[in-house]
mmCIF file of all heavy atoms in Angstrom:
data_model
loop_
_atom_site.group_PDB
_atom_site.id
_atom_site.type_symbol
_atom_site.label_atom_id
_atom_site.label_comp_id
_atom_site.label_asym_id
_atom_site.label_seq_id
_atom_site.Cartn_x
_atom_site.Cartn_y
_atom_site.Cartn_z
ATOM 1 N N VAL A 89 131.515 110.152 -17.620
ATOM 2 C CA VAL A 89 132.613 110.992 -17.309
ATOM 3 C C VAL A 89 132.380 112.370 -18.104
ATOM 4 O O VAL A 89 132.477 112.380 -19.300
ATOM 5 C CB VAL A 89 133.978 110.284 -17.713
ATOM 6 C CG1 VAL A 89 135.105 111.224 -17.388
ATOM 7 C CG2 VAL A 89 134.031 109.011 -17.074
ATOM 8 N N VAL A 90 132.296 113.393 -17.376
ATOM 9 C CA VAL A 90 132.073 114.701 -17.898
ATOM 10 C C VAL A 90 132.862 115.834 -17.117
ATOM 11 O O VAL A 90 133.191 115.488 -15.865
ATOM 12 C CB VAL A 90 130.602 115.140 -17.909
ATOM 13 C CG1 VAL A 90 129.744 114.117 -18.703
ATOM 14 C CG2 VAL A 90 129.992 115.284 -16.478
ATOM 15 N N ASP A 91 133.080 116.993 -17.709
ATOM 16 C CA ASP A 91 133.640 117.993 -17.007
ATOM 17 C C ASP A 91 132.592 118.609 -16.135
ATOM 18 O O ASP A 91 131.427 118.981 -16.725
ATOM 19 C CB ASP A 91 134.213 119.005 -17.985
ATOM 20 C CG ASP A 91 134.970 120.145 -17.259
ATOM 21 O OD1 ASP A 91 134.708 120.328 -16.028
ATOM 22 O OD2 ASP A 91 135.556 120.988 -17.920
ATOM 23 N N PRO A 92 132.712 118.621 -14.702
ATOM 24 C CA PRO A 92 131.674 119.162 -13.906
ATOM 25 C C PRO A 92 131.258 120.648 -14.282
ATOM 26 O O PRO A 92 130.083 120.971 -14.166
ATOM 27 C CB PRO A 92 132.364 119.186 -12.488
ATOM 28 C CG PRO A 92 133.384 118.155 -12.622
ATOM 29 C CD PRO A 92 133.872 118.120 -14.015
ATOM 30 N N GLY A 93 132.144 121.390 -14.910
ATOM 31 C CA GLY A 93 131.854 122.694 -15.366
ATOM 32 C C GLY A 93 130.782 122.708 -16.469
ATOM 33 O O GLY A 93 130.223 123.715 -16.775
ATOM 34 N N ASP A 94 130.528 121.505 -17.167
ATOM 35 C CA ASP A 94 129.632 121.492 -18.260
ATOM 36 C C ASP A 94 128.207 121.195 -17.659
ATOM 37 O O ASP A 94 127.197 121.124 -18.551
ATOM 38 C CB ASP A 94 130.036 120.388 -19.130
ATOM 39 C CG ASP A 94 131.319 120.848 -20.079
ATOM 40 O OD1 ASP A 94 131.601 121.926 -20.083
ATOM 41 O OD2 ASP A 94 131.953 119.899 -20.513
ATOM 42 N N VAL A 95 128.021 120.945 -16.436
ATOM 43 C CA VAL A 95 126.700 120.543 -15.853
ATOM 44 C C VAL A 95 126.266 121.753 -15.029
ATOM 45 O O VAL A 95 126.941 122.387 -14.131
ATOM 46 C CB VAL A 95 126.900 119.372 -14.887
ATOM 47 C CG1 VAL A 95 125.479 119.047 -14.372
ATOM 48 C CG2 VAL A 95 127.578 118.098 -15.560
ATOM 49 N N ASP A 96 125.002 122.279 -15.385
ATOM 50 C CA ASP A 96 124.517 123.501 -14.749
ATOM 51 C C ASP A 96 124.465 123.483 -13.284
ATOM 52 O O ASP A 96 124.625 124.488 -12.624
ATOM 53 C CB ASP A 96 123.125 123.824 -15.436
ATOM 54 C CG ASP A 96 122.132 122.947 -15.322
ATOM 55 O OD1 ASP A 96 122.254 121.882 -14.701
ATOM 56 O OD2 ASP A 96 120.903 123.228 -15.691
ATOM 57 N N ALA A 97 124.061 122.234 -12.731
ATOM 58 C CA ALA A 97 123.826 122.148 -11.350
ATOM 59 C C ALA A 97 125.375 122.474 -10.567
ATOM 60 O O ALA A 97 125.296 123.040 -9.579
ATOM 61 C CB ALA A 97 123.353 120.768 -10.987
ATOM 62 N N HIS A 98 126.281 121.865 -11.281
ATOM 63 C CA HIS A 98 127.595 122.070 -10.569
ATOM 64 C C HIS A 98 127.995 123.596 -10.778
ATOM 65 O O HIS A 98 128.627 124.099 -9.735
ATOM 66 C CB HIS A 98 128.632 121.185 -11.341
ATOM 67 C CG HIS A 98 130.024 121.358 -10.756
ATOM 68 N ND1 HIS A 98 130.941 122.341 -11.087
ATOM 69 C CD2 HIS A 98 130.700 120.616 -9.755
ATOM 70 C CE1 HIS A 98 131.923 122.121 -10.383
ATOM 71 N NE2 HIS A 98 131.855 121.199 -9.561
ATOM 72 N N ARG A 99 127.722 124.171 -11.869
ATOM 73 C CA ARG A 99 128.084 125.595 -12.092
ATOM 74 C C ARG A 99 127.291 126.482 -11.109
ATOM 75 O O ARG A 99 127.856 127.385 -10.642
ATOM 76 C CB ARG A 99 127.818 126.052 -13.397
ATOM 77 C CG ARG A 99 128.729 125.418 -14.660
ATOM 78 C CD ARG A 99 128.786 126.260 -15.782
ATOM 79 N NE ARG A 99 127.502 126.571 -16.301
ATOM 80 C CZ ARG A 99 126.676 125.751 -17.100
ATOM 81 N NH1 ARG A 99 127.094 124.532 -17.280
ATOM 82 N NH2 ARG A 99 125.648 126.188 -17.572
ATOM 83 N N PHE A 100 126.090 126.081 -10.923
ATOM 84 C CA PHE A 100 125.260 126.778 -9.938
ATOM 85 C C PHE A 100 125.989 126.855 -8.532
ATOM 86 O O PHE A 100 126.173 127.889 -7.862
ATOM 87 C CB PHE A 100 123.870 126.262 -9.796
ATOM 88 C CG PHE A 100 122.975 126.835 -8.766
ATOM 89 C CD1 PHE A 100 122.509 127.982 -8.983
ATOM 90 C CD2 PHE A 100 122.857 126.077 -7.450
ATOM 91 C CE1 PHE A 100 121.671 128.641 -7.837
ATOM 92 C CE2 PHE A 100 122.108 126.647 -6.514
ATOM 93 C CZ PHE A 100 121.532 127.934 -6.564
ATOM 94 N N GLY A 101 126.324 125.675 -8.090
ATOM 95 C CA GLY A 101 126.994 125.570 -6.712
ATOM 96 C C GLY A 101 128.378 126.288 -6.721
ATOM 97 O O GLY A 101 128.639 126.938 -5.714
ATOM 98 N N ARG A 102 129.135 126.247 -7.821
ATOM 99 C CA ARG A 102 130.279 127.093 -7.879
ATOM 100 C C ARG A 102 130.089 128.606 -7.689
ATOM 101 O O ARG A 102 130.784 129.201 -6.988
ATOM 102 C CB ARG A 102 131.042 126.736 -9.069
ATOM 103 C CG ARG A 102 132.503 127.378 -9.340
ATOM 104 C CD ARG A 102 133.193 126.907 -10.368
ATOM 105 N NE ARG A 102 132.407 127.007 -11.729
ATOM 106 C CZ ARG A 102 132.116 128.046 -12.378
ATOM 107 N NH1 ARG A 102 132.606 129.285 -11.981
ATOM 108 N NH2 ARG A 102 131.451 128.022 -13.483
#
Side-chain angles (χ1 to χ4, degrees):
V89 181
V90 298
D91 182 345
D94 291 338
V95 182
D96 60 357
H98 183 275
R99 291 203 309 281
F100 172 79
R102 178 174 54 79

